[in-house]
Amino acid sequence: MKNIPTSDLHHALILCRMAFFSAAGFSLVINLLQLVPTIYMLQLYDRVVPTGNLSTLLMLTLIVMVLFLTMGILEWVRSQILVRVSTRLETLLNERLFQVAYKQSLYTGGQRAGSQPLDDLTALRQFLTGQGLFAFFDAPWMPIYIAVMFVFHVWYGWAAIATAIVLIIIAIINEKLTSKLLDEANGLAITGRNLVNKNLKNAEVIESMGMLHSVRNRWIEGTRQILILQATASSRAGLMSALSKLIRLSSQSLILALGAYLVIENEITAGLMIAGSILLGRVLAPIDIMIGSWKGFINARGQYKRLNHILLQIPDDTEKMTLPVPQGEFKIEAATVVPPGSKVPVIKGISLTIEKGEVVGVLGPSGAGKSTFARALLGIWPTTNGKIRLDGADVFAWNRHELGPFIGYLPQDIELFEGTISENISRFGEIDPEKVVNAAKMADVHELILRLPNGYDTYIGADGGALSGGQRQRIGLARALYGDPVVVVLDEPNSNLDEQGELALGNAIQRLKQKSVTVVVITHRSNVLVHVTKLLILNDGLVSLYGPREQVIAQLQQQLVKPQSMAS
């Protein structure tokens, strides 16, 4: 038998199954107690009214009140069970889904970055505590009510079955008419929210170049499509709900008429006539609630499918054996790298070695694959073919939590996180003041930080607050140098630096060289190349030149001389 993969969501629901069984058990007792009003009405009409016995009326009323109180308590307990199971479900999955959302952003290059998995989990949790789910717990006990109606009279039983079948057919038609529209609307709504988030992040660009009108119109067009789909689905659902209500009310009146006929024919008592109408309402109630809450059910089903799909698509990290402290030697073996979201390789089967303590400068035209090379070197993006090995081990297979403290990375786009400067430099781990200051001094940003209102305790927002691009870059550099990294990768580290910043960068590279730290510097500027020991020239994802700095520069000069000689 073929093994069908199961997701963490499925496992979490299995862990919570006893709570669902308990809720189902309470539902059984609650639904049995729902017969109390019918039996009470029957006793009043057939025993109390004909005899005029007030003591019987008092005792029956007291018993009924106690049963109603019991039913109320059981319903409250059932709701608390579902509240707790929904809370447990989120507790079991929120950490995993945070990791999924993070990896989804990492492996798609930020194209699908967002909190949608966490939003879906919250919405699913809310559905589990709503009235819609209670209808699904109550529906299985409908046969009990129908059986009681057969006990009252066979025609009552068949009338209940016929009405229930008609309402079930309406529920199925409602599903066919609305589910596809609502799924499409939900998909567009998710896309629209992601678009808004991206636009808000680029508000300065939109404002400066007068793009607001065009961007807003694009969003409004998407919103209009969502509203059309939702309005159509709601209109159809409203029609089905109205038809369901009409049939339910009509059936309860018709069964009264049927009961009156049976009373006239002396086949049932007057009490059974009223009790039959009440019990039919109880038979139809779960179906009526399901039709009324169908939109919530469809949304919950979509959320479950999305969560199940993404949890299967992005499996949990497996436990990896701890490796020795890295030394910083890279061996790249016919590595091919395809950026997430693309099908075209940017790095095309390159092979080279970077020894421990070497400072390698990476040059090449735009689109040559320099930043992709940096991400692959650090194991951020995996290779599709070949291997990138750090100290002999596949860099993508290292335990990231254990490897991270030995890696320094300054990306091309500087991102600081909400928190204090000291928290940012210490990577939001335990703050070691001495290491924080040392890293800041290596990046030559210590004096600048001291001049800020609260020094290292200055709080900055996610966008860097009032810090300039150069200041953010130097704080990012300090973060990369924090602790004792053995590998430091700097992607365009001087893109926002002034002359003083360039000098500080050169000093930092020199200190790293003295400490035998492996450094890879990607740059378009030649100033920093004086500090490198090797040069790597990339062109269209291939190694054009690689070797000692003087040798590569000599080869470049020869390549420049040849065209001039041929032209002359």
Side-chain angles (χ1 to χ4, degrees):
M1 186 175 177
K2 194 173 182 179
N3 289 329
I4 300 174
T6 56
S7 72
D8 294 88
L9 177 58
H10 182 73
H11 290 305
L13 289 172
I14 290 175
L15 289 174
C16 298
R17 66 185 183 278
M18 292 309 300
F20 287 114
F21 289 150
S22 298
F26 278 101
S27 295
L28 169 61
V29 179
I30 289 168
N31 278 276
L32 290 174
L33 290 174
Q34 293 282 3
L35 292 170
V36 169
T38 303
I39 297 171
Y40 180 63
M41 180 69 69
L42 186 62
Q43 294 301 313
L44 290 183
Y45 270 90
D46 292 348
R47 293 182 60 185
V48 175
V49 174
T51 62
N53 192 326
L54 293 178
S55 60
T56 302
L57 174 62
L58 178 62
M59 289 304 299
L60 285 173
T61 303
L62 288 174
I63 293 170
V64 166
M65 289 300 104
V66 171
L67 292 175
F68 280 166
L69 178 61
T70 302
M71 185 170 63
I73 293 172
L74 292 177
E75 286 189 339
W76 178 80
V77 171
R78 181 177 68 170
S79 69
Q80 292 303 300
I81 289 173
L82 292 178
V83 167
R84 294 193 178 190
V85 74
S86 67
T87 302
R88 189 185 179 199
L89 191 65
E90 182 153 348
T91 303
L92 288 170
L93 290 172
N94 56 8
E95 183 177 342
R96 172 81 170 90
L97 285 171
F98 180 89
Q99 182 188 37
V100 163
Y102 162 75
K103 284 193 172 182
Q104 190 179 39
S105 174
L106 184 66
Y107 296 159
T108 60
Q111 294 174 20
R112 288 186 291 166
S115 59
Q116 188 61 45
L118 294 168
D119 294 339
D120 281 341
L121 178 61
T122 300
L124 189 62
R125 176 179 60 80
Q126 291 171 345
F127 174 77
L128 291 176
T129 58
Q131 290 297 319
L133 188 63
F134 291 150
F136 289 90
F137 277 119
D138 295 340
W141 311 114
M142 286 171 51
I144 295 174
Y145 301 136
I146 293 175
V148 174
M149 293 195 73
F150 270 106
V151 172
F152 287 176
H153 196 278
V154 66
W155 286 11
Y156 270 7
W158 287 117
I161 288 175
T163 308
I165 290 173
V166 171
L167 289 181
I168 290 171
I169 291 172
I170 290 175
I172 293 171
I173 293 172
N174 189 37
E175 149 76 4
K176 299 295 183 183
L177 291 177
T178 60
S179 61
K180 187 175 180 180
L181 291 173
L182 289 173
D183 285 343
E184 188 177 349
N186 289 335
L188 288 174
I190 292 170
T191 303
R193 282 198 298 272
N194 291 338
L195 180 63
V196 169
N197 290 334
K198 288 182 179 179
N199 289 339
L200 292 176
K201 288 182 179 179
N202 294 283
E204 290 182 2
V205 175
I206 293 171
E207 181 67 17
S208 62
M209 294 191 286
M211 295 167 58
L212 178 60
H213 182 73
S214 300
V215 169
R216 183 177 57 204
N217 285 348
R218 184 181 178 190
W219 174 75
I220 288 174
E221 180 59 32
T223 304
R224 188 179 291 114
Q225 293 179 24
I226 295 169
L227 291 175
I228 291 171
L229 290 169
Q230 288 181 338
T232 304
S234 297
S235 177
R236 293 177 181 179
L239 176 62
M240 292 298 103
S241 181
L243 183 59
S244 169
K245 187 175 182 180
L246 171 64
I247 292 173
R248 181 170 55 82
L249 292 175
S250 299
S251 63
Q252 286 186 273
S253 297
L254 288 173
I255 206 165
L256 275 175
L258 174 62
Y261 170 77
L262 294 173
V263 170
I264 292 172
E265 294 295 322
N266 292 319
E267 294 193 30
I268 63 172
T269 64
L272 285 174
M273 178 183 72
I274 303 298
S277 177
I278 295 173
L279 194 55
L280 180 64
R282 187 60 219 156
V283 170
L284 304 179
I287 303 175
D288 201 44
I289 293 173
M290 281 191 283
I291 293 173
S293 58
W294 200 254
K295 183 177 179 181
F297 171 71
I298 290 175
N299 288 339
R301 186 177 62 186
Q303 289 147 8
Y304 177 87
K305 285 182 178 178
R306 285 195 298 271
L307 288 173
N308 207 45
H309 174 73
I310 198 172
L311 286 168
L312 287 173
Q313 189 181 45
I314 304 178
D316 198 6
D317 289 334
T318 56
E319 191 70 27
K320 297 172 183 175
M321 191 187 80
T322 299
L323 295 173
V325 172
Q327 299 301 306
E329 180 187 68
F330 285 98
K331 286 190 177 179
I332 303 168
E333 304 168 349
T336 298
V337 183
V338 178
S342 175
K343 296 181 180 179
V344 180
V346 172
I347 299 297
K348 304 171 183 177
I350 67 173
S351 297
L352 57 95
T353 300
I354 301 175
E355 301 291 347
K356 169 181 167 58
E358 287 187 333
V359 181
V360 179
V362 182
L363 301 175
S366 296
K370 300 186 298 296
S371 293
T372 300
F373 174 75
R375 293 185 178 104
L377 199 66
L378 295 173
I380 298 172
W381 289 354
T383 56
T384 53
N385 286 302
K387 294 290 183 183
I388 297 178
R389 300 186 182 278
L390 173 60
D391 293 354
D394 185 350
V395 70
F396 196 70
W398 278 75
N399 184 312
R400 305 308 303 184
H401 180 70
E402 295 177 355
L403 179 62
F406 300 101
I407 298 293
Y409 178 44
L410 181 65
Q412 190 170 350
D413 299 321
I414 304 300
E415 291 289 348
L416 297 179
F417 303 96
E418 289 192 49
T420 64
I421 288 178
S422 61
E423 287 175 327
N424 269 275
I425 293 176
S426 64
R427 309 178 185 186
F428 287 86
E430 184 177 349
I431 297 175
D432 185 324
E434 184 178 352
K435 289 183 179 180
V436 169
V437 172
N438 286 340
K441 286 182 176 179
M442 281 191 72
D444 199 23
V445 74
H446 174 67
E447 298 296 332
L448 183 150
I449 294 173
L450 292 180
R451 289 196 296 271
L452 294 174
N454 295 307
Y456 283 90
D457 295 320
T458 300
Y459 190 88
I460 55 177
D463 59 353
L467 297 175
S468 68
Q471 290 171 336
R472 289 201 302 271
Q473 195 159 36
R474 286 161 71 181
I475 291 173
L477 177 60
R479 180 177 62 193
L481 303 178
Y482 178 78
D484 296 303
V486 298
V487 174
V488 174
V489 177
L490 308 174
D491 191 354
E492 299 290 353
N494 49 356
S495 59
N496 294 305
L497 298 182
D498 54 17
E499 186 177 346
Q500 182 183 357
E502 289 262 12
L503 181 62
L505 175 63
N507 292 335
I509 294 174
Q510 283 298 119
R511 294 189 188 102
L512 291 171
K513 187 189 295 187
Q514 291 168 5
K515 295 169 69 175
S516 296
V517 174
T518 303
V519 182
V520 177
V521 185
I522 298 168
T523 183
H524 280 101
R525 297 186 184 180
S526 59
N527 304 27
V528 75
L529 298 182
V530 69
H531 304 287
V532 307
T533 56
K534 280 187 175 181
L535 278 177
L536 169 63
I537 310 298
L538 290 176
N539 194 1
D540 193 27
L542 297 169
V543 176
S544 179
L545 292 171
Y546 180 59
R549 182 187 63 193
E550 291 78 9
Q551 180 182 329
V552 172
I553 291 175
Q555 289 175 314
L556 285 173
Q557 289 173 344
Q558 287 177 3
Q559 291 177 2
L560 290 172
V561 170
K562 282 182 181 179
Q564 293 175 1
S565 300
M566 293 176 63
S568 61

